[in-house]
Amino acid sequence: MSDITSIIGLIDNGGWVAVGVFLGFFIQRLDRRMGRLENKLEAIREEFVSREEHYRDISGWRGEINRLDLKIDRLMEKILEGKK
């Protein structure tokens, strides 16, 4: 409560300049922060890949992975048959 009364006392004693400087500093700080966030957002937009593009890029991999899985299964079967 003492903080609020000291701020009110400062304003009552003609401290509008101090309040104006503080608000100016605060606005400038927010403006810089918004600029940094806009830059980050632009970088995210540039790196964004749509779902369709992603699936198109990896669609060939699925087939290759399935073929490798089948080959590994066959190899394991042959190994197990050879041990019998």
Side-chain angles (χ1 to χ4, degrees), residues 39-51:
N39 290 340
K40 288 180 182 179
L41 183 61
E42 185 62 33
I44 289 171
R45 284 183 183 145
E46 289 175 2
E47 294 176 6
F48 176 74
V49 176
S50 70
R51 183 177 292 173

Side-chain angles (χ1 to χ4, degrees), residues 13 24 34 37 41 49 52 58 64-65 69-70 72 74 78 81-82:
N13 292 330
M34 281 179 44
L37 289 174
L41 183 61
V49 176
E52 291 81 19
I58 65 167
E64 293 175 19
I65 291 171
D69 186 46
L70 289 174
I72 291 171
R74 288 181 194 149
K78 287 182 181 182
E81 286 176 8

Side-chain angles (χ1 to χ4, degrees), residues 10-28:
L10 179 66
I11 292 172
D12 284 342
N13 292 330
W16 288 106
V17 174
V19 172
V21 169
F22 172 75
L23 289 176
F25 170 76
F26 189 69
I27 290 170
Q28 181 185 15

